[in-house]
Amino acid sequence: MTRMPDKHEQIRDSAHADSSHAGMRLDQLAALLFPDFSRARLQKWIRNGELTVDGRPARPTHRVIGNETLRLDAAVEKDGTVLSQDIPIDVIFADGDIIVVNKPAGLVVHPAAGNPDSTLQNALLHYDENLAALPRSGIVHRLDKETSGVMVVARSLRAHTSLVEQLQRRTMKRVYRAVATGVITAGGTVDAPIGRHPRHRKRMAVVGSGKPAVSHYRVLKRFDGATYVEVSLESGRTHQIRVHMTHIGHPLAGDPVYGRGLKLKRGFPVELVEAVRAFPRQALHAYRLSLHHPGSRENVRFVAPLPADIEQLLASLEEFTL
């Protein structure tokens, strides 16, 4: 059984090829015999001579003949470019394989231009320094800075490989809740490709040359001028929900990039207008996440309750809906 890296990030393991494996590429066989690691990582170890065949280095394309011994003696490189920072995080669940967090609005997921630190990744490294041995400290998906809600983080290489595969195969299910502008009469599906906006390069848009994107939405509650919706994704494109809801004429309340403001009826109470227009971010929350646990293989589900600001927005809409 593969031993996951300890604090020294050194992996030592071996496996035996039998006659049924004859003719397979080495990287294909390695992925079969060492399933806790991604094929890309195994290919790197093969090229570096850290995964050998009968004690000798080989190329990823090497064809095995059967009855060889594959030996893995590899060091997992720590990422020293992102610093640990004592930033409070709301941990919903944690075990040896995953950490599930409720990300607050305003927190960037990982460092990038304009946000060199004070991110979720910095906070995670303070929570568990061993995450430095994983790509992006175990972060496998992201939320926009001003989107709140549930995220899963890998805590082991086995978990990282599993979660990435689940995202690629779309078996990880993500459900969001949002307040959209205008009154939506019924639920539906938006199947429209998303790519860079042809003129505004910092924005995304529905464009023919974009990547496939599918969002399903259903109405939870209607108000005068707004609709509380639940949205599930079949893909995970940048700004997908924000772009798709704008595409059907219902941008999210508070969205500074895609929003066009609530279409409020004339004569609405001033308090309601002010509450809606003062909402400081897109009213979008990652509510529920379902996945196959990388360790137990059981289906698990995690929920992040609505944050106070969206609860208050809904309460204001409820109070003043005619």
Side-chain angles (χ1 to χ4, degrees), residues 40 46 49-50 93 100 138 159 162 174 185 226 245 271 299 301:
I46 292 170
E50 296 172 290
F93 173 85
V100 182
S162 173
R174 292 165 288 169
T185 57
M245 296 307 292
E271 293 87 352
N299 292 328
R301 186 175 73 171

Side-chain angles (χ1 to χ4, degrees), residues 25-46:
R25 285 170 49 124
L26 177 56
D27 56 356
Q28 294 174 328
L29 179 59
L32 179 66
L33 298 181
F34 303 104
D36 289 346
F37 311 112
S38 68
R39 186 167 173 180
R41 184 180 288 271
L42 290 165
Q43 287 174 331
K44 178 180 177 181
W45 285 337
I46 292 170

Side-chain angles (χ1 to χ4, degrees), residues 218-234:
R218 69 184 184 94
V219 174
L220 297 177
K221 191 171 182 63
R222 296 180 187 88
F223 305 98
D224 285 333
T227 308
Y228 182 34
V229 295
E230 185 171 271
V231 186
S232 59
L233 304 181
E234 286 191 19

